[in-house]
Amino acid sequence: MADLKVDLTAPNGKKITLPTGLFINNEFVKSSSGTKITSINPTNEQEICSVEAASAEDIDKAVAAARAALNHESWRDISATERGALMFKLADLIEQESDILATIETWDNGKPFADSQGDVGEVISTIRYYGGYADKIHGETIPTTSQKFVYTLKQPIGVCGQIIPWNYPLSMAAWKLGPALACGNTVVLKPAEQTPLSILYFASVVVKAGFPAGVVNITNGYGKEAGHALASHLDVDKIAFTGSTATGKQIMKTASINMKNITLETGGKSPLLVFEDADIEQAAKWAHIGIMSNQGQICTATSRILVQDTIYDKFVNEFREAVKTTSKVGDPFAEGTFQGPQVTKAQYDRILSFVESGKSEGATLTAGGIPCPLNGKGFFIEPTIFTKVKNNMKIYREEVFGPFVVIVPFKTEGEAIAMANDTTYGLGAAVFSQNLELSHRVAARIEAGMVWINSSNDSDIRVPFGGVKQSGIGRELGEAGLAAYTQTKAIHVNIGQKL
Ligand code: ADP
């Protein structure tokens, strides 16, 4: 086991000892198949290191560990207050290690260092938020007749499989771990194969915090093998997934094998509506944040900008200006970088193929759409804007998941709402207007799990997050996030003698 770690020096000079094994039963172990994942730095295309990748057999071991922990007195019987205290301890330790975690995140994912620091901050606050809930989860008493009553217990769902995407490797893990642990579940978490590193360091912190063995298991691996093994496992009670809609549908099908409880957070093509009375400078600023942050790799990205025709040209100019002045593309470790490389060559190629599709379908490439490598390397793409886009074009309908936006005019409020809802997705939406009545009316009519008025892409640990239509099932974060990790048992009590 001693060799299941690697000493690394990050591009920012930080020295890091990183565990490379599968994290099962509080130990780092080898994969039974010998399969590995090699992680690539998207900034210079060089290898960072290789880590163990789980086979179906390893997933079996991790699930068995999680099942044993669920039924072990060290977890099942500790008080909810103690469970919360473990989570606070975990949050404190993450805080102490936050620079290392943020460094690994930027190195492996390519996101600017300040953004990774923000993500780690969110991890800490999410774990604390749910740690605080641990001893406030309880049922109710329901009087039924003069001789009978019912009390309900909020019990853990059981062994939870959690499948994580690569765009926010640590914070998506925290969104799922926080409520799962607060409610007393045990977890097998499968990170994305594109970004396997930061969560391994996180795993070493879980041990230090003192969680009993088997409560948290982290099994890197490929989707089709390890992810599928988890989703199809007969001893897993729940699957929580964040990722693409296509994979979400596949997981839903697979998880039906034993009717697992599921929570899915999938894709989007979220609209941002700018009405003629909006503060255009504010709208352009938020529209820029809404699509260009995190290299455009955000499921809630407001990737379709719909602008009232009377102010269309003015808005496009303001937006281009916002991109020019703010979207500094470059080394994610350099101060002031807004946009780093795309996470992988596959994503980079995919975005460039959307650029070709937009051009060949007759849309106008107004800005960007070309690679902008750093010293000849890296998966960097200039922020891309398409105008003269028609509603049947691929770039209008499909999720690109990159710094890539289409800007389209509308005439009336009715048309704006119809265009906003003309999508199979329903994750987020933004409305810009200074007219209170209009903005709330439109917000109510847009088919989306979240609407931002005069803003875009706000998210907060206290607020339910999730989608409608093909953007997902269930909610994460906030109090709603707890519902996804508890089941309600009704216990009927007869205290009388009569029939
Ligand atoms: P992308 O297409 O951007 O790679 P995915 O939605 O396919 O995103 O991946 C998100 C997560 O789902 C990753 O952890 C990945 O390994 C996992 N995954 C992919 N395919 C499957 C599958 N068939 N079953 C279970 N998990 C999967």
Side-chain angles (χ1 to χ4, degrees), residues 163-164 166 190-194 223 227-228 241 243-244 247 251 347:
I163 300 179
I164 309 296
W166 45 258
K190 196 206 79 65
E193 51 268 52
Q194 295 83 352
H228 177 79
F241 165 80
S244 64
T247 302
I251 286 177
Q347 287 300 316

Side-chain angles (χ1 to χ4, degrees), residues 25 83 109 121 150 152 186-187 198 254 264 295 312 385 397:
N25 249 332
R83 220 165 49 223
N109 171 284
V150 176
T152 61
T186 58
V187 171
S198 54
T254 311
L264 304 173
Q295 296 66 249
Y312 182 82
I385 308 171
R397 307 212 72 84

Side-chain angles (χ1 to χ4, degrees), residues 307-320:
V307 186
Q308 199 145 23
D309 51 1
T310 46
I311 53 156
Y312 182 82
D313 292 337
K314 193 158 181 251
F315 176 85
V316 172
N317 285 336
E318 280 283 346
F319 184 78
R320 286 185 64 168

Side-chain angles (χ1 to χ4, degrees), residues 53 86 121 227 229 299 344:
L86 277 172
C299 48
T344 56

Side-chain angles (χ1 to χ4, degrees), residues 12 34 53 174 214 225 227 262 268 290 324 330 342 366-367 398 404 415 439 484:
N12 63 353
E225 186 164 12
I262 50 169
K324 225 189 278 167
Q342 305 310 125
T366 300
E398 293 185 20
F404 186 116
E415 192 188 8
S439 30

